[in-house]
Amino acid sequence: MNYYYFYYPTRTPYHPPVRYLPYVHRNPLPFTGPHRQFPTVDPGMFMNSAKELEVMMQSASVLLSKMAQSRSFSFELMSAAQESKMEKVQSLIKTTGITLLPKVEYTPSGLRLTFESSADSNAAANCCQLALKLRWS
């Protein structure tokens, strides 16, 4: 006699879980390959975007090296941005000698510079964009 059931009559003996067979969905139609047709590839626009980005990255590289090497330039740029003197910020960026000027936005924690493709270039407008986010706090 098992005394376990005598002292605890509400307990039931252990039963292992019931094993269920997984449901297998059988597709009546065989796989016939991809159903989408992709357009033909033309790398012309892609190559123009890469060329535009090269120019943007050169301008961004010159600007970033000036910010990294000149403490006085960085101080003036940060001060003007925090005081919302956007004309002074633009003139400071022009003094670096870059050809493509970025769109400048500032937040309380940093500066956001967005280089966009020029509209007068032979590439299509808005083909590419380079965004830089720099933190100061």
Side-chain angles (χ1 to χ4, degrees):
M1 176 174 191
N2 191 344
Y3 289 102
Y4 177 79
Y5 296 110
F6 177 73
Y7 291 110
Y8 302 101
T10 59
R11 301 268 184 173
T12 58
Y14 173 76
H15 293 292
V18 179
R19 295 185 182 215
Y20 294 102
L21 295 175
Y23 176 74
V24 178
H25 176 70
R26 302 206 187 272
N27 190 354
L29 300 175
F31 181 71
T32 58
H35 298 288
R36 295 189 306 175
Q37 294 297 322
F38 294 105
T40 59
V41 177
D42 181 22
M45 180 69 173
F46 188 69
M47 292 171 69
N48 287 337
S49 295
K51 289 176 187 174
E52 287 286 323
L53 268 172
E54 277 184 328
V55 174
M56 288 181 210
M57 288 182 67
Q58 288 172 353
S59 296
S61 177
V62 169
L63 182 59
L64 288 173
S65 66
K66 178 74 172 181
M67 288 178 188
Q69 294 171 358
S70 176
R71 189 170 186 85
S72 62
F73 177 79
S74 296
F75 179 79
E76 288 181 33
L77 188 68
M78 285 175 60
S79 299
Q82 285 181 341
E83 295 170 4
S84 297
K85 297 180 181 177
M86 295 314 277
E87 296 83 20
K88 186 173 180 182
V89 170
Q90 288 293 338
S91 67
L92 283 169
I93 291 174
K94 284 180 187 178
T95 61
T96 61
I98 60 175
T99 57
L100 184 63
L101 296 176
K103 184 174 81 172
V104 180
E105 299 172 7
Y106 73 94
T107 63
S109 63
L111 192 66
R112 186 178 311 142
L113 305 169
T114 307
F115 291 87
E116 294 180 349
S117 60
S118 57
D120 60 338
S121 66
N122 56 1
N126 296 328
C127 72
C128 44
Q129 187 178 45
L130 177 66
L132 304 173
K133 296 178 183 177
L134 297 119
R135 291 195 56 171
W136 61 50
S137 65

